[in-house]
Amino acid sequence: MPMPKVEPTGEETAEVPGDDTAGNVEAPSEEPVHSDSLVIIPTYNEKENIENIIRYVFKLPQPFEILIIDDGSPDGTAGIVKTLMEEFPDRLHIIERQGKQGLGTAYIAGFRWALKHDYEYIFEMDADFSHNPDDLLRLRAACAERGADLAIGSRYVTGVNVVNWPMGRVLMSYYASVYVRFVTGIKVHDSTAGFVCYTRRLLSKMELDKIQFKGYAFQIEMKFTASMMGAKIEEVPIIFTNRVLGTSKMSGGIFSEAVFGVIKLKVGSWSRVYPKL
């Protein structure tokens, strides 16, 4: 049976091949997408590593932005970052400071910047590839999918997962965390870890102006404070690899600050009222 002939009504809209506006479909927006995740990387003389770490993070399947906090690196680290900012104008940011002011103050400056710019997940990471950038995805998942307020990239939660460190430094780091657990009572296996993810919810209530320490003890103080606030903390096992390029910033003075700082933190907590989440 022949099909009935349908006369055109004149109301049909002709589609043009390759025309994204046909059928009232909006053309893709070219506005940059603001990521909810910011990776803070403090730097001092990291010219050998900085471009590689930035490009690696930006190739991850989850979109991250990066904030570099550079303490006046005489080797030109900041200059390399500013050149890359021309390539990644909406994803790469920098704060330049005069002289070495300490790891703790660098991160505090980064936290304040992150809160001001409305990021939900704020990360600490080293520039030297001792932290595997792929693990940013696992730290974010701990917070975004499993509800942690603080996710810690832990070297010691499943044993000792450290590559290419001298044995003396491994023992110093491991037993520093044992010491912190003993003195403070917090249930964190790697309290000195510098690869972490904080939620905006936690950092916005943490009273950052009361964080005292600048060096090694800063990482301990942040985790201790989070624990005292009732934060949900998850340790994500990672493999830590000693830097190949550049020079380590560790010193005996930094370690001494941690040893005596832990006692100061515990004693101070007896009279301090911590905000609760």
Side-chain angles (χ1 to χ4, degrees):
M1 178 181 294
M3 295 295 292
K5 184 178 180 180
V6 179
E7 297 293 337
T9 64
E11 298 177 355
E12 288 86 343
T13 301
E15 293 189 7
V16 180
D19 184 359
D20 290 333
T21 63
N24 296 322
V25 177
E26 294 185 0
S29 170
E30 295 185 0
E31 289 295 319
V33 177
H34 174 62
S35 173
D36 64 0
S37 303
L38 180 71
V39 182
I40 302 172
I41 304 178
T43 56
Y44 184 77
N45 287 350
E46 291 290 356
K47 68 177 183 179
E48 297 95 343
N49 297 301
I50 194 61
E51 180 171 358
N52 289 335
I53 197 79
I54 288 169
R55 292 191 181 279
Y56 196 120
V57 171
F58 286 163
K59 287 181 179 179
L60 294 173
Q62 169 69 37
F64 292 90
E65 294 183 22
I66 295 175
L67 173 63
I68 302 297
I69 314 286
D70 187 72
D71 275 6
S73 298
D75 72 346
T77 298
I80 296 171
V81 174
K82 285 186 282 190
T83 298
L84 289 170
M85 288 173 68
E86 298 175 6
E87 184 178 347
F88 304 105
D90 302 305
R91 301 184 67 187
L92 181 59
H93 317 277
I94 188 170
I95 295 175
E96 295 183 82
R97 308 194 305 171
Q98 297 299 315
K100 296 179 71 174
Q101 300 181 39
L103 182 70
T105 64
Y107 275 127
I108 294 296
F111 295 156
R112 294 191 189 282
W113 192 93
L115 293 173
K116 180 180 178 180
H117 292 84
D118 298 323
Y119 295 92
E120 290 296 329
Y121 307 103
I122 299 99
F123 299 77
E124 297 180 7
M125 189 174 76
D126 291 346
D128 60 8
F129 283 95
S130 55
H131 303 141
N132 184 344
D134 290 325
D135 289 329
L136 289 168
L137 302 171
R138 300 170 62 228
L139 292 175
R140 186 182 184 281
C143 292
E145 299 173 15
R146 297 193 293 276
D149 299 298
L150 168 58
I152 301 170
S154 179
R155 297 162 290 185
Y156 307 128
V157 70
T158 57
V160 178
N161 295 313
V162 177
V163 177
N164 293 336
W165 250 10
M167 182 56 65
R169 188 166 175 183
V170 172
L171 292 174
M172 180 179 72
S173 175
Y174 177 80
Y175 283 107
S177 288
V178 172
Y179 169 73
V180 171
R181 289 202 308 274
F182 174 76
V183 173
T184 67
I186 64 172
K187 298 178 180 180
V188 173
H189 291 82
D190 193 353
S191 56
T192 63
F195 192 22
V196 299
C197 175
Y198 297 94
T199 62
R200 177 183 182 83
R201 172 174 176 262
L202 174 58
L203 283 182
S204 64
K205 296 183 178 181
M206 194 176 265
E207 299 179 325
L208 296 175
D209 57 320
K210 294 185 178 180
I211 300 298
Q212 304 174 48
F213 297 111
K214 297 181 179 181
Y216 203 59
F218 167 80
Q219 302 293 2
I220 301 170
E221 184 175 10
M222 290 292 292
K223 296 172 185 66
F224 178 76
T225 303
S227 178
M228 296 298 291
M229 291 172 64
K232 179 181 178 182
I233 301 174
E234 178 176 335
E235 289 190 84
V236 176
I238 65 164
I239 296 176
F240 178 94
T241 304
N242 193 28
R243 69 161 60 232
V244 175
L245 300 174
T247 304
S248 172
K249 314 303 187 294
M250 181 62 66
S251 70
I254 290 174
F255 185 69
S256 296
E257 179 193 57
V259 171
F260 297 106
V262 170
I263 298 173
K264 184 177 180 180
L265 283 176
K266 183 61 177 178
V267 173
S269 71
W270 296 339
S271 58
R272 179 179 169 184
V273 177
Y274 292 85
K276 297 298 181 181
L277 291 177

